[in-house]
Amino acid sequence: MSATSNIAVFLKKESIEQRVRELADMINRDFQGQEVILVGVLNGSFIFCADLIRHLTIPTQIEFVSISSYEGTESTGQVSFRLDVKQSLVGKNVILVEDIVDTGLTISFLLKHMKLKNVKSLKLCSLLLKRSRLKVEVPIDYLGFEIEDKFVIGYGLDFDGHYRELPYIGVYGE
Ligand code: 5GP
């Protein structure tokens, strides 16, 4: 376990739990009587996906994608796949699930990629958004929280591979 003495709690466990339930309720309403495929963006969204799917009452499947690192994305704008969805998404209701939208470059790339798969519908669900950092417009259908420009960790989000296990979202070094 990593040291947590220099981490300030930013979003409490209870606030996250409640918001995740609300997002799931919206998805349940919007897709009543239909099946959805959640496509989680690894690694950051794995806890969010796990909590979200347990509040869905509609038929649901889950897949994951993994793309090149944040640093690579920031410095070069290049994005490449480490893992892509295994099954065909043709005619499916797909919800891309991201932990945080920062510049928006990663998720824009993924949305374009998913659109090419002839899906029935494509929605974006992100737990967090740093609106002031956006470099491209991103249509977020299900948004957890809009946050200031701070580097956050916990609830799946890491700092150098650590702190993903924290049940809350915190700001490092505050
Ligand atoms: P974008 O392409 O929108 O700039 O970057 C999105 C990705 O950058 C996220 O999926 C996440 O991996 C990483 N990222 C952006 N902001 C933060 C942050 O505040 N904390 C952490 N841990 N990762 C972040």
Side-chain angles (χ1 to χ4, degrees), residues 1 8 24-25 29 35 68 78 83 133 136-137 143 146 151-152 167 169 173:
M1 172 117 173
D25 287 346
R29 265 199 310 273
E35 183 180 64
S68 58
Q78 296 292 311
L83 172 75
R133 294 260 308 157
V136 286
E137 210 178 306
L143 174 63
E146 204 171 304
F151 189 82
V152 288
I169 291 175

Side-chain angles (χ1 to χ4, degrees), residues 41 44 70 73-74 98-107 130 133 147 150-153 157-159:
V41 185
Y70 178 55
T73 308
E74 270 279 279
E98 176 65 299
D99 53 354
I100 183 165
V101 174
D102 184 24
T103 63
L105 293 173
T106 308
I107 211 67
K130 290 187 198 167
R133 294 260 308 157
I147 64 166
K150 289 172 184 281
F151 189 82
V152 288
I153 53 169
L157 290 140
D158 75 313
F159 173 56

